[in-house]
Each structure stands twice: as C-alpha cells, then as structure tokens.
Amino acid sequence: YSTGFGGPGMAFGGMHNARARQQQQRGRQQQGQEGALGQLSQLLPLLLIMLFTFFNMGGDDASGATGGSRYFSLTPARPHTNPLSTKLTKVKDIPYYVSDQFLRTVARDRYQLSQVERMVERSYQTYLHDECKNQKAYKRKLEILSTKSKITEAERANLMKKA
C-alpha cells in the first residue's frame, strides 16, 4: 500500500526523519542541561552546609564577651540563667550560666558536659585576653592625655594615678 508520497527516505518522509533527529538532539541537550542542574540541586544542600560551617567557625566557642554560645554564657542573660562552674577542665571554678534545657539534657552527659566546659574555658581565656588588651589601650590613652600641655598639674597627676 502506497500513499504516493514516497518511502521513508523520500520528500516528506525524509523531512520528518530530519525533524525527529533534531528533536532528539534538542532533547538530549536539554537532558544534559537538566542533568547538570539536577546534580547541582542535589549538591546544593551539601554546599550550603559547608558554607555555613565555614562562615560560622568558632561560633560555639568564644563569639562575644559573654560566651555568645547557644550552650552557655559567661554572664547571666536569658535564657542562660542557671549558674554552673567548670569541674572537668584544667582550670576549675570558671563561672558560667546555662539554660533550663541544658540542665535537662547536656548536663547529664559527662562527655558533652566536658566538651561544653572546654568551650567555656576557651571563651573565658579569650574574654580575659580581650579585657587585658582593652585595659592596656585605656592606660596608653590616659598616659597620652597626661602628656598634653593643655592640662594642669593636678589633672595630670590624677590621670597618671588612673593609669
């Protein structure tokens, strides 16, 4: 049976095959692009976790004068209102404050408590270091002010006493 348009390789049939091949090629290209996007979208959560970890390094240690941790604070501030002191680290009796939830969960696990106490110790060390730097800077500022000629001898003596 023949339709009069020729075989598969003739006139209209040939154009149909060429179009089919072009569509297949476009489909493969789109699949390739979709495959790359699919792979990227699968890796996106991992990349985000890595980025957050990188930018949040040290966030649980000593980010701030009061500890700034979700586990503890070196000063009593909500939700960290329950006083504790270090017992499992080299330096004993560093005061710190924890939340009620911390007392119910982490404080019962000796390993986790020791990890948090190490963070408290590092945070306290950082706090003391920063405080020392601030006091030295303040002393230098007072010494510089005392050397200026526009102040009286009494003011100069008072500034030197403060320094």
Side-chain angles (χ1 to χ4, degrees):
Y1 175 77
S2 175
T3 60
F5 292 110
M10 302 306 245
F12 293 114
M15 286 199 306
H16 175 69
N17 285 340
R19 284 188 187 148
R21 275 190 244 120
Q22 286 177 347
Q23 287 177 348
Q24 286 176 347
Q25 286 176 346
R26 279 192 218 124
R28 285 189 206 122
Q29 287 174 349
Q30 286 177 347
Q31 284 177 347
Q33 290 172 351
E34 289 173 1
L37 287 174
Q39 288 175 345
L40 182 62
S41 67
Q42 287 177 350
L43 290 176
L44 191 60
L46 181 62
L47 292 172
L48 287 174
I49 289 171
M50 289 172 57
L51 282 173
F52 285 133
T53 302
F54 178 74
F55 287 116
N56 202 17
M57 278 186 182
D60 290 340
D61 293 0
S63 59
T66 62
S69 170
R70 66 181 183 165
Y71 300 112
F72 70 93
S73 174
L74 294 177
T75 58
R78 286 195 174 270
H80 305 104
T81 56
N82 301 300
L84 289 178
S85 61
T86 56
K87 295 173 182 62
L88 305 173
T89 56
K90 292 178 187 174
V91 180
K92 309 286 189 235
D93 298 324
I94 299 172
Y96 66 102
Y97 299 85
V98 297
S99 67
D100 293 333
Q101 181 183 3
F102 181 92
L103 288 176
R104 288 190 303 268
T105 57
V106 178
R108 294 179 182 202
D109 183 348
R110 191 170 175 87
Y111 175 75
Q112 286 182 345
L113 184 59
S114 70
Q115 297 293 321
V116 170
E117 285 193 5
R118 276 191 229 133
M119 290 190 313
V120 168
E121 188 176 39
R122 285 191 302 263
S123 181
Y124 192 66
Q125 181 181 9
T126 301
Y127 166 75
L128 291 177
H129 181 268
D130 291 346
E131 191 64 25
C132 184
K133 280 181 15 183
N134 289 339
Q135 287 182 4
K136 285 180 180 180
Y138 179 70
K139 183 177 179 178
R140 275 193 303 268
K141 180 180 174 185
L142 289 177
E143 288 171 348
I144 290 170
L145 282 174
S146 71
T147 60
K148 294 195 176 195
S149 61
K150 294 181 183 177
I151 59 172
T152 65
E153 277 301 315
E155 291 174 327
R156 181 172 291 137
N158 189 23
L159 285 173
M160 287 306 286
K161 192 185 293 185
K162 283 183 180 179

